[in-house]
Amino acid sequence: MDFLDFLGITSFKGNKEEFIEILRERFTEKFGSVIDELSMKKSINPISVSKRLDISKTSAKNLLRMMRELGLLRRVRIAVDAIDDEDALMMILSSKGEVTIEYLEKVIPEARRLVLKYWREGKVDIVGNPRGLLPGPINLPRDLPDKIPEMIIKDKKLSSNPRLGKFIERETGELYYYIVLRGDDRVRLVA
């Protein structure tokens, strides 16, 4: 099925302006409620649209581009003036849908700590670069603390997980673990 069939346009006779008006009506019928729902959450971006409509990210980008061209959506460039770093992080993710840790660190000094906080709360997902050293999602329990005692790692049988780094605390000589985030890891807002 091609896209015009999907929109219910099998034939058309008329001028360009009339065709554009019909496209606007059909886009609003098919996608208006989804866009309204996502706009309430302030998360209209390719990631949230692809998850909500169960389509590829590329298709979601194309759909949003067509809606902008038809005048149904407006692109807003956000100048991040937020009360604090937490608000700034959520505003960036809401506007972009997905960004790298490296990008966030350019804007927010405490980005890694905040990303882990929101990951633990289930507000974001962290996915490694498919061509990087640690591809795929973080497969760790979300309830792990920042400084993970060795006992917890042994109990949960996580010692071979590549997403865990380790260090010895100087004062006590005890071994602790931490979750490794790389600059090329992608952070996605959970829609």
Side-chain angles (χ1 to χ4, degrees), residues 18-32:
E18 292 169 332
F19 183 67
I20 289 173
E21 191 54 41
I22 287 174
L23 280 177
R24 280 189 188 117
E25 289 172 13
R26 296 299 163 85
F27 267 82
T28 302
E29 287 171 18
K30 292 280 185 183
F31 308 112

Side-chain angles (χ1 to χ4, degrees), residues 144-154 158-159 163-180:
L144 292 174
D146 286 337
K147 187 171 141 182
I148 312 162
E150 182 180 22
M151 178 183 64
I152 291 175
I153 298 298
K154 285 182 179 178
L158 297 172
S159 60
R163 281 288 182 171
L164 291 173
K166 48 186 160 182
F167 68 96
I168 296 176
E169 191 174 71
R170 288 184 186 195
E171 295 84 29
T172 63
E174 293 181 39
L175 180 63
Y176 286 95
Y177 289 78
Y178 62 94
I179 298 172
V180 174

Side-chain angles (χ1 to χ4, degrees), residues 102-127:
E102 181 179 40
Y103 176 86
L104 288 172
E105 285 181 317
K106 290 177 183 174
V107 181
I108 303 166
E110 293 287 313
R112 287 178 193 248
R113 181 186 63 77
L114 291 173
V115 165
L116 279 174
K117 174 185 183 254
Y118 285 133
W119 173 75
R120 286 185 180 102
E121 293 172 1
K123 293 179 180 177
V124 300
D125 285 329
I126 304 167
V127 180

Side-chain angles (χ1 to χ4, degrees), residues 11-165:
S11 65
F12 176 77
K13 292 186 193 271
N15 62 32
K16 179 181 173 183
E17 288 78 23
E18 292 169 332
F19 183 67
I20 289 173
E21 191 54 41
I22 287 174
L23 280 177
R24 280 189 188 117
E25 289 172 13
R26 296 299 163 85
F27 267 82
T28 302
E29 287 171 18
K30 292 280 185 183
F31 308 112
S33 62
V34 171
I35 297 302
D36 288 345
E37 174 191 323
L38 293 174
S39 69
M40 297 275 236
K41 298 178 182 178
K42 296 181 175 49
S43 64
I44 300 175
N45 55 62
I47 300 297
S48 62
V49 171
S50 72
K51 285 182 180 178
R52 179 63 176 80
L53 294 175
D54 195 26
I55 59 176
S56 72
K57 192 167 88 172
T58 302
S59 296
K61 282 181 183 178
N62 291 335
L63 176 65
L64 290 174
R65 187 178 69 242
M66 282 191 265
M67 291 182 86
R68 279 192 300 272
E69 287 174 6
L70 291 171
L72 298 172
L73 285 178
R74 195 174 17 170
R75 174 167 281 183
V76 178
R77 289 274 178 213
I78 293 182
V80 180
D81 291 328
I83 294 171
D84 57 26
D85 287 349
E86 292 184 16
D87 286 344
L89 183 104
M90 292 311 279
M91 286 172 64
I92 290 167
L93 290 175
S94 292
S95 69
K96 295 191 174 284
E98 175 183 279
V99 293
T100 63
I101 298 280
E102 181 179 40
Y103 176 86
L104 288 172
E105 285 181 317
K106 290 177 183 174
V107 181
I108 303 166
E110 293 287 313
R112 287 178 193 248
R113 181 186 63 77
L114 291 173
V115 165
L116 279 174
K117 174 185 183 254
Y118 285 133
W119 173 75
R120 286 185 180 102
E121 293 172 1
K123 293 179 180 177
V124 300
D125 285 329
I126 304 167
V127 180
N129 181 337
R131 294 176 298 278
L133 294 174
L134 298 172
I138 293 181
N139 292 323
L140 292 169
R142 290 184 190 248
D143 62 350
L144 292 174
D146 286 337
K147 187 171 141 182
I148 312 162
E150 182 180 22
M151 178 183 64
I152 291 175
I153 298 298
K154 285 182 179 178
D155 287 348
K156 296 188 181 224
K157 298 177 175 71
L158 297 172
S159 60
S160 63
N161 192 306
R163 281 288 182 171
L164 291 173

